[in-house]
Amino acid sequence: MATESLVPATERRDAKERRKSAAIAVQPDMSYEQETNPWLAQEARFDFAAKKLNLDDGMWKILRQPTRELIVHIPVGMDDGRIEVFTGYRVQHSISRGPCKGGVRYAPDVSLDEVRALASWMTWKCAVVNIPFGGAKGGIICDPHKMSQGELERMTRRYTAELMEFIGPEKDVPAPDVGTNEQTMAWMMDTYSMHMRQTVTSVVTGKPVSMGGSRGRVEATGRGVSIICDHALEHLGMPIQGCRVIIQGFGNVGSNAAKLLFEKGYTVVGIAEYDGGLFNAMGIDINALLRHRKQAGSVVGFAGAEAVDPLELITRECEILIPAATENVITSRNAADLKCRILCEGANGPTTMVADDILAEKGIFVLPDILANAGGVTASYFEWVQDRMGYFWNEAEVNRRLDLIMSESFHDVISYAVTHNVNNRIAAYMLAIDRVAFVAKQRGMYA
Ligand code: NAD
């Protein structure tokens, strides 16, 4: 079935109209480096949405910048006796609606601009799903795959110690992100608790369940993605049966989304990982692939699908494409080649602002990151609530509440898009900015 024919004429016309009213004024001479700078992307979308909302000049200035940006240099004794100094960041974008919330990323290419963008996206994401947090993000420039557990532990503890005055259950609550996991959160929680002379479980989320983590948190982002896909199909009048899905990234978000979609009856035809792609037109058995990955340590070599080029795979025909790996994978260089009907952003910032316009032109229905992957922070909110109550829900209860919030948020964003005649991404930004600005105005300005 050709992708074009899946787009009803009225939708195509609406998409064109919305493109006209929602095209961000991208400078024609913008370099690829500028196009893929996440902070510039965040700023451009924020400016556009704020203008559409007629946000007053003062509020625009306040919300455009993060509240606080911290740079730390962390000395770590390495296993071979050397001392290495790592650079780390914590950016807090907004505390208007509650404490800051956001992950900590360990990767060689972490930069202040990336952490700034991710912190701002957290503010908008928490507001889209209407949970009482502002946004933050942290990161350390390092390669966690080349470090021992001991080195990672010492680096994490020293980073946490440097952040002591800035984090806390009522201030800023870190969580795992790319390159960090529940063990990292256990070290952060323990370090913070040792300084406070008492156990403070609610200082981080994404902890092991045995020490105050929430059931369902590990799968929550992928589960949220699958809930958003269900609603998108219903909204567009498309059936689950025969719905072909291609997923980029088979990590936490991608593999859990794949498993849940597979169980719901979607046909997951493609998986793209950085070291190889898999394609099976009849559908990949995701449970078999998970078993293979556990044994082989990679999706490569799986017998139940054909090996294909992972970059080419994401441009193949499908109903839903889910980028769930990293930023800037859909850009001016490949957006025109996409043949999906729906783009559901599991990753943060996978699409550049130039690509946004190309996708709108093609009539692709975009489910923006600040809606589609918000299941993770929603379950983190549940974890924080449970830690503070000292009473823990079973997994069914967590999933029930997650479904309610994701479903309501989908409908909020879609209604906003229709009412304001903008695309889904700008609608999500407008809804979020509106909610944050309303509270910021009510609180007034401390001077
Ligand atoms: P992860 O490290 O568990 O998984 C990422 C996977 O993508 C890895 O398997 C990696 O090999 C693969 N990958 C990396 N670059 C790739 C590329 N260029 N092509 C193909 N595959 C590639 O990370 P994650 O937690 O699943 O996060 C993925 C994305 O989702 C990130 O953008 C993250 O910020 C975002 N996110 C995660 C959560 C969460 O709860 N984990 C919540 C919201 C958003």
Side-chain angles (χ1 to χ4, degrees):
M1 194 165 13
T3 310
E4 273 301 295
S5 67
L6 283 170
V7 185
T10 46
E11 267 272 336
R12 283 206 299 274
R13 204 175 46 241
D14 284 355
K16 278 209 165 146
E17 289 255 309
R18 281 192 216 155
R19 182 182 176 266
K20 262 193 238 148
S21 67
I24 291 169
V26 175
Q27 302 141 13
D29 56 348
M30 177 180 274
S31 67
Y32 189 69
E33 202 181 13
Q34 287 171 314
E35 181 192 337
T36 53
N37 178 315
W39 175 244
L40 294 181
Q42 191 286 138
E43 259 186 339
R45 287 158 177 163
F46 170 81
D47 287 348
F48 189 85
K51 199 169 156 206
K52 282 256 152 204
L53 278 172
N54 290 323
L55 197 70
D56 72 68
D57 200 43
M59 190 54 68
W60 177 81
K61 282 186 200 155
I62 293 171
L63 297 183
R64 198 169 194 264
Q65 299 292 337
T67 300
R68 185 182 271 159
E69 302 180 347
L70 192 70
I71 304 178
V72 293
H73 299 289
I74 312 153
V76 178
M78 307 300 277
D79 291 349
D80 62 6
R82 277 179 310 117
I83 288 179
E84 199 61 72
V85 178
F86 296 91
T87 299
Y89 306 102
R90 186 74 188 169
V91 174
Q92 297 174 341
H93 176 260
S94 166
I95 54 162
S96 288
R97 287 168 48 91
C100 292
K101 186 87 196 76
V104 177
R105 181 173 286 199
Y106 290 175
D109 57 354
V110 165
S111 70
L112 186 54
D113 266 357
E114 180 189 50
V115 177
R116 269 190 193 128
L118 289 161
S120 311
W121 283 328
M122 286 304 294
T123 299
W124 312 136
K125 194 182 297 185
C126 291
V128 164
V129 287
N130 219 354
I131 57 176
F133 288 134
K137 203 79 181 190
I140 302 180
I141 306 172
C142 66
D143 189 346
H145 304 293
K146 291 190 180 147
M147 294 171 70
S148 70
Q149 284 296 100
E151 290 167 343
L152 285 168
E153 177 172 355
R154 293 191 287 281
M155 184 179 77
T156 302
R157 288 188 181 278
R158 183 64 186 252
Y159 173 66
T160 310
E162 295 291 344
L163 299 185
M164 272 308 290
E165 294 92 330
F166 304 99
I167 59 172
E170 303 292 344
K171 293 181 182 175
D172 179 359
V173 185
D177 190 67
V178 175
T180 56
N181 53 30
E182 57 177 33
Q183 178 60 73
T184 323
M185 293 306 111
W187 292 327
M188 287 191 84
M189 189 280 249
D190 184 65
T191 307
Y192 183 86
S193 298
M194 289 299 105
H195 281 259
M196 300 304 285
R197 320 302 292 165
Q198 64 186 45
T199 296
V200 187
T201 53
S202 52
V203 65
V204 293
T205 59
K207 299 177 294 294
V209 171
S210 55
M211 50 179 275
S214 176
R215 291 181 181 85
R217 169 64 186 91
V218 172
E219 304 82 12
T221 311
R223 184 176 295 278
V225 165
S226 79
I227 294 167
I228 293 296
C229 288
D230 292 346
H231 285 294
L233 289 195
E234 196 187 347
H235 176 75
L236 297 172
M238 293 163 64
I240 287 181
Q241 204 185 16
C243 177
R244 295 163 300 172
V245 182
I246 295 177
I247 302 178
Q248 182 192 49
F250 201 61
N252 175 290
V253 180
S255 68
N256 282 302
K259 187 171 182 328
L260 288 158
L261 291 170
F262 172 69
E263 283 166 2
K264 286 178 182 184
Y266 289 73
T267 312
V268 183
V269 293
I271 297 288
E273 255 294 333
Y274 76 98
D275 56 350
L278 299 172
F279 182 78
N280 183 339
M282 304 305 291
I284 297 170
D285 179 338
I286 299 297
N287 290 326
L289 178 59
L290 285 166
R291 283 194 297 274
H292 167 85
R293 211 254 318 255
K294 201 171 174 192
Q295 276 177 352
S298 161
V299 299
V300 175
F302 178 60
E306 176 197 345
V308 295
D309 173 6
L311 286 178
E312 181 265 331
L313 178 59
I314 64 168
T315 64
R316 289 197 184 189
E317 198 171 292
C318 62
E319 277 67 45
I320 306 182
L321 174 65
I322 304 178
T326 185
E327 285 126 55
N328 297 321
V329 291
I330 298 162
T331 69
S332 54
R333 294 182 178 170
N334 65 355
D337 300 331
L338 297 198
K339 296 177 201 74
C340 56
R341 171 70 185 96
I342 298 168
L343 178 73
C344 182
E345 297 182 337
N348 284 312
T351 311
T352 68
M353 51 196 155
V354 183
D356 267 349
D357 284 354
I358 300 169
L359 301 183
E361 187 73 28
K362 288 169 74 76
I364 292 176
F365 191 73
V366 177
L367 297 159
D369 47 7
I370 56 173
L371 166 69
N373 69 33
V377 75
T378 303
S380 275
Y381 165 55
F382 297 157
E383 181 171 331
W384 180 78
V385 168
Q386 292 170 82
D387 282 338
R388 286 153 53 102
M389 288 192 298
Y391 177 75
F392 291 85
W393 303 326
N394 62 27
E395 194 170 337
E397 182 60 16
V398 171
N399 293 344
R400 185 186 70 78
R401 289 174 185 265
L402 180 67
D403 197 316
L404 276 177
I405 290 188
M406 294 306 293
S407 302
E408 202 172 297
S409 307
F410 174 88
H411 293 296
D412 285 351
V413 170
I414 299 302
S415 317
Y416 221 91
V418 172
T419 312
H420 296 269
N421 194 30
V422 291
N423 65 36
N424 295 342
R425 188 184 312 282
I426 295 300
Y429 269 77
M430 287 173 73
L431 172 67
I433 294 168
D434 204 10
R435 284 178 175 164
V436 178
F438 183 77
V439 178
K441 254 188 211 129
Q442 267 183 333
R443 285 178 63 156
M445 197 170 60
Y446 174 77

